[in-house]
Amino acid sequence: MKLLDLYAKMKGDLNQIEQELERSVASDRTLLGETSLHLLKAGGKRIRPVFVLLAGKFGDYRLDVLKRIAVTLELIHSSSLVHDDVIDDAQTRRGQPTVKSKWDNRIAMYTGDYIFAKALTIVTELGNPQIHQILSKAMVQMCIGEMEQIRDFFNTEQSVRNYLLRIRRKTALLIAISCQLGAIAAGAQRDVCNRLYRYGYNVGMAFQIRDDLLDLLGTEKQIGKPPGSDIRQGNITLPVILALREPSLRDALYREIGIIRDHDGNADTRTAINLIRSSHGIHEAEQLAENYIGKALHALQGLPDLPAKKNLTDIAHFINTRNY
Amino acid sequence: MKLLDLYAKMKGDLNQIEQELERSVASDRTLLGETSLHLLKAGGKRIRPVFVLLAGKFGDYRLDVLKRIAVTLELIHSSSLVHDDVIDDAQTRRGQPTVKSKWDNRIAMYTGDYIFAKALTIVTELGNPQIHQILSKAMVQMCIGEMEQIRDFFNTEQSVRNYLLRIRRKTALLIAISCQLGAIAAGAQRDVCNRLYRYGYNVGMAFQIRDDLLDLLGTEKQIGKPPGSDIRQGNITLPVILALREPSLRDALYREIGIIRDHDGNADTRTAINLIRSSHGIHEAEQLAENYIGKALHALQGLPDLPAKKNLTDIAHFINTRNY
């Protein structure tokens, strides 16, 4: 099944989640309600809700319960995006002006705080302490990950391990717990919850590596923003770390990254991008993403043969080849 | 009993909370742990932990449980301070450089997010859904309050009601739930929890009104920052709203506030402050604070005659006369 067919099949339930997302912030007739709605209406792939719903199929699928988990995770994701936009000084996201550019940084900061608090009010209604514990621990790790990204800006000496730890915290954990919490909320067996966590974690790692590759290989049309955004803001991703290991490229790439750093985000990144594209780093990063996909598929193997298992398999394959 | 005597009497338990506060963030050997520790070590009155502990005396006083509530609330308070410092562009707090001035705004933003997430991990270990619900709802209101403060900067047309709603969200609710959650965590009866909530709410309102008065009446030595900070950043507090109602002062005060606004925080506020000091607004604001103290004391009346009741009474009287 194609990914679009899967979204079409899940449309009814995803629509309900969409309505709940808007309702969650629109109820307060405040500026924060308005800024939050602006952010949510700009859309997004809603991949975390999709994982929650599919994981829920492995237990007692109750949309009223799963909906809360899905909305909570999507709100937490949105809240981290609006804070990231402040850090990255981003003017647009998903083709829409960001909250920080349409309003200002102060408003964006409180919008993030507010959306996060709203997320908590929704999940607390479920009254399940285990879910709160998993969520709050993941939030701490996410904050550390965001911070490590700032710390490592323009650090050309960082290791692959360093990069992997960072994207684990920044991206993979939230996807892992989307799968896990969907299963827990549906009362699935512990082994099923654990397998879905491992699936989500590995898919999340592959997703971020692919995302970082796309920023180097994609066209502006494909990725919705100019390519090279990462390196422009100093975010040294896996292909760059790998390219820096190649003796024939190393010195030139160092120099280019130095120039980009000194131009405070306004430098021409074309030379740097061409150097990275010509390196083995691209292929090696693709391989690593593929390894993670392999592990994700392996985690699925012990699960009962439901249609949702097939859907999760399809999503893993899709992530491995995504170009938008 | 003097307030210092009360702190002395509670020293053992407060020390444990202090250790737990430091431990909560020091465990992660990351930059975020460091920035958070810097913030926490700058100290503070720890008034929220004091309320939690005293409220806990009305039930089964278990320090291991109450400690978590106290640490959670103090962390949430600290997390809101570090975000406020970004908004207010504050260089010092409690005589120490702020996180945003020692590091930068980006780091301060993630430090706030991180401390908040840490607070959640601590309270979730109690596994009490009612506590999570009360907390998360209060967080949403706090964010709205912070935002309303930005929205109302330099708004000389705002009403007293507007001001009261704002400080309710910004300050009073967190103090109210400090008392309420201390009692709930100790398993106190529902009526006791409700009375303590009302006590905390009214004390919190009086506390903020007094705080706003101090900013106009205190010396730099008393309040640890130059007086007039509020009006300099556009925060129109109760005495100002009331002074603007006086026909003999109105035009001159409008003009001064306009000048302060146009000078982007660098104007001389002495004329404005003298106008406000000469108004009836000071006395009326003091009266209103006193009314709230009266309501707080009234809420205590139905509580059993424990030493903690006397302590809470003393704190209310102290807040009504505080000058630091």
Side-chain angles (χ1 to χ4, degrees):
Chain A
M1 191 190 288
K2 296 242 178 65
L3 203 70
L4 278 178
D5 296 335
L6 176 62
Y7 272 91
K9 207 179 122 203
M10 297 174 75
K11 197 177 164 192
D13 290 358
L14 284 173
N15 275 350
Q16 285 211 36
I17 288 171
E18 207 60 34
Q19 282 169 20
E20 195 65 32
L21 272 173
E22 291 189 12
R23 195 160 28 205
S24 70
V25 298
S27 54
D28 295 319
R29 300 176 174 280
T30 61
L31 177 54
L32 283 177
E34 190 187 333
T35 55
S36 304
L37 200 61
H38 169 81
L39 180 71
L40 293 174
K41 284 213 162 183
K45 291 181 282 293
R46 309 296 191 227
I47 190 75
R48 291 155 198 84
V50 167
F51 283 133
V52 171
L53 294 180
L54 290 175
K57 298 281 189 188
F58 292 89
D60 178 18
Y61 187 90
R62 285 179 45 201
L63 186 58
D64 57 328
V65 173
L66 293 168
K67 196 164 67 174
R68 284 185 198 283
I69 303 279
V71 167
T72 298
L73 288 162
E74 190 66 15
L75 288 177
I76 288 172
H77 172 61
S78 301
S79 130
S80 81
L81 292 184
V82 71
H83 278 185
D84 288 354
D85 287 340
V86 173
I87 302 293
D88 302 346
D89 206 21
Q91 299 303 311
T92 60
R93 177 176 291 275
R94 298 165 181 161
Q96 299 288 323
T98 54
V99 173
K100 68 142 273 151
S101 78
K102 191 168 175 189
W103 287 274
D104 65 26
N105 273 339
R106 303 179 310 172
I107 291 176
M109 189 173 76
Y110 284 138
T111 300
D113 293 358
Y114 169 81
I115 295 178
F116 186 50
K118 272 282 169 184
L120 296 177
T121 64
I122 290 164
V123 76
T124 55
E125 284 166 29
L126 291 176
N128 183 331
Q130 191 195 0
I131 292 175
H132 300 160
Q133 279 171 24
I134 291 170
L135 258 181
S136 61
K137 279 182 188 157
M139 295 309 96
V140 170
Q141 294 301 316
M142 267 179 83
C143 291
I144 297 176
E146 301 285 1
M147 191 72 182
E148 285 173 334
Q149 183 163 318
I150 300 184
R151 181 198 62 192
D152 294 340
F153 273 163
F154 290 113
N155 174 9
T156 44
E157 303 301 325
Q158 63 188 284
S159 63
V160 170
R161 182 168 173 274
N162 195 315
Y163 166 86
L164 294 175
L165 269 174
R166 196 170 68 225
I167 67 168
R168 172 180 195 276
R169 289 174 158 145
K170 203 185 69 149
T171 307
L173 271 179
L174 195 64
I175 294 180
I177 69 168
S178 298
C179 297
Q180 182 191 23
L181 294 180
I184 288 176
Q189 287 179 5
R190 182 192 286 234
D191 174 62
V192 169
C193 299
N194 291 346
R195 281 182 180 277
L196 286 164
Y197 176 93
R198 283 210 303 285
Y199 164 83
Y201 168 72
N202 286 296
V203 153
M205 293 296 283
F207 179 85
Q208 187 60 54
I209 294 172
R210 277 281 161 194
D211 205 59
D212 293 344
L213 275 163
L214 265 177
D215 187 61
L216 292 160
L217 302 176
T219 61
E220 178 154 359
K221 200 174 161 197
Q222 280 174 327
I223 57 180
K225 56 183 180 179
S229 302
D230 283 331
I231 204 165
R232 207 170 296 117
Q233 72 180 62
N235 187 10
I236 306 291
T237 57
L238 182 59
V240 187
I241 297 169
L242 295 169
L244 281 165
R245 289 181 176 177
E246 281 180 45
S248 64
L249 297 174
R250 191 181 171 84
D251 290 349
L253 188 50
Y254 262 126
R255 201 169 45 239
E256 287 300 320
I257 292 174
I259 293 171
I260 294 167
R261 185 191 56 223
D262 297 342
H263 281 73
D264 212 14
N266 295 313
D268 186 346
T269 56
R270 276 175 298 184
T271 312
I273 289 178
N274 286 334
L275 284 168
I276 301 158
R277 284 182 180 168
S278 74
S279 75
H280 299 300
I282 300 293
H283 180 66
E284 286 176 50
E286 283 170 344
Q287 287 280 206
L288 198 52
E290 192 144 343
N291 280 355
Y292 281 111
I293 293 295
K295 287 183 195 168
L297 294 173
H298 184 74
L300 290 181
Q301 275 172 17
L303 293 179
D305 276 324
L306 302 175
K309 180 175 172 181
K310 177 73 171 57
N311 298 146
L312 291 170
T313 307
D314 290 345
I315 293 178
H317 287 305
F318 167 76
I319 284 174
N320 201 29
T321 53
R322 72 189 268 254
N323 56 4
Y324 62 90
Chain B
M1 194 190 285
K2 295 243 178 63
L3 204 71
L4 278 178
D5 296 335
L6 176 62
Y7 272 92
K9 206 181 121 204
M10 298 173 74
K11 196 176 165 193
D13 290 359
L14 285 172
N15 274 350
Q16 285 210 37
I17 288 171
E18 208 60 36
Q19 282 169 22
E20 195 64 34
L21 272 173
E22 291 189 14
R23 194 157 32 202
S24 69
V25 299
S27 55
D28 295 318
R29 299 176 177 280
T30 61
L31 178 53
L32 283 177
E34 191 187 330
T35 55
S36 304
L37 201 59
H38 169 82
L39 180 70
L40 293 175
K41 284 212 163 185
K45 292 179 283 291
R46 309 297 191 226
I47 189 74
R48 289 156 198 82
V50 167
F51 283 132
V52 171
L53 294 181
L54 290 176
K57 297 280 188 189
F58 292 89
D60 178 18
Y61 187 91
R62 283 179 46 201
L63 186 58
D64 57 329
V65 172
L66 292 169
K67 197 165 67 175
R68 285 186 197 282
I69 303 280
V71 167
T72 299
L73 288 162
E74 190 67 15
L75 288 177
I76 287 173
H77 172 61
S78 301
S79 128
S80 81
L81 291 185
V82 71
H83 278 185
D84 288 353
D85 287 340
V86 173
I87 301 294
D88 302 344
D89 204 21
Q91 299 304 311
T92 61
R93 178 177 289 276
R94 298 165 179 161
Q96 299 287 324
T98 54
V99 173
K100 69 141 273 152
S101 78
K102 191 168 175 189
W103 287 274
D104 65 26
N105 274 339
R106 304 177 310 174
I107 291 177
M109 190 173 74
Y110 284 138
T111 299
D113 293 358
Y114 169 81
I115 294 179
F116 186 51
K118 271 284 170 185
L120 296 177
T121 63
I122 290 164
V123 77
T124 53
E125 284 166 30
L126 292 177
N128 182 332
Q130 190 194 2
I131 292 175
H132 301 161
Q133 279 172 23
I134 291 170
L135 259 181
S136 61
K137 280 183 187 159
M139 295 309 96
V140 169
Q141 294 300 317
M142 267 178 82
C143 292
I144 296 176
E146 301 285 2
M147 191 72 181
E148 285 173 333
Q149 182 162 318
I150 301 184
R151 180 199 62 192
D152 294 340
F153 273 164
F154 291 112
N155 174 8
T156 43
E157 303 301 324
Q158 62 188 284
S159 62
V160 169
R161 183 169 173 274
N162 195 316
Y163 166 85
L164 294 176
L165 268 174
R166 194 170 71 225
I167 68 167
R168 173 180 195 276
R169 288 175 159 145
K170 202 184 71 148
T171 307
L173 271 178
L174 194 64
I175 294 181
I177 70 168
S178 298
C179 297
Q180 182 191 23
L181 294 179
I184 288 176
Q189 287 179 5
R190 180 192 285 234
D191 174 62
V192 168
C193 300
N194 291 347
R195 281 183 180 276
L196 286 165
Y197 176 92
R198 283 210 304 284
Y199 164 83
Y201 169 71
N202 286 296
V203 152
M205 292 297 283
F207 180 85
Q208 188 59 55
I209 294 172
R210 278 280 161 195
D211 206 59
D212 293 344
L213 276 163
L214 265 177
D215 188 62
L216 292 161
L217 302 177
T219 61
E220 178 154 1
K221 200 174 162 198
Q222 279 174 328
I223 57 181
K225 57 183 180 179
S229 303
D230 283 330
I231 204 164
R232 207 171 295 114
Q233 72 181 60
N235 186 11
I236 306 292
T237 56
L238 182 59
V240 187
I241 296 170
L242 294 170
L244 281 165
R245 289 182 175 176
E246 282 180 45
S248 64
L249 298 172
R250 192 180 171 85
D251 290 348
L253 188 50
Y254 262 125
R255 199 168 45 238
E256 287 300 319
I257 293 174
I259 293 172
I260 294 167
R261 185 191 57 223
D262 296 343
H263 282 73
D264 213 13
N266 295 313
D268 186 345
T269 56
R270 275 175 298 183
T271 311
I273 289 178
N274 285 334
L275 285 168
I276 301 158
R277 284 182 181 169
S278 74
S279 75
H280 299 300
I282 300 293
H283 180 65
E284 286 176 49
E286 284 172 342
Q287 285 281 203
L288 198 52
E290 193 145 341
N291 281 354
Y292 280 113
I293 293 295
K295 287 184 196 167
L297 295 173
H298 184 74
L300 291 182
Q301 275 173 18
L303 293 180
D305 276 324
L306 302 175
K309 180 174 170 181
K310 176 73 171 58
N311 299 146
L312 291 171
T313 307
D314 290 345
I315 293 178
H317 286 305
F318 167 76
I319 284 174
N320 201 27
T321 53
R322 71 189 271 252
N323 55 8
Y324 60 89

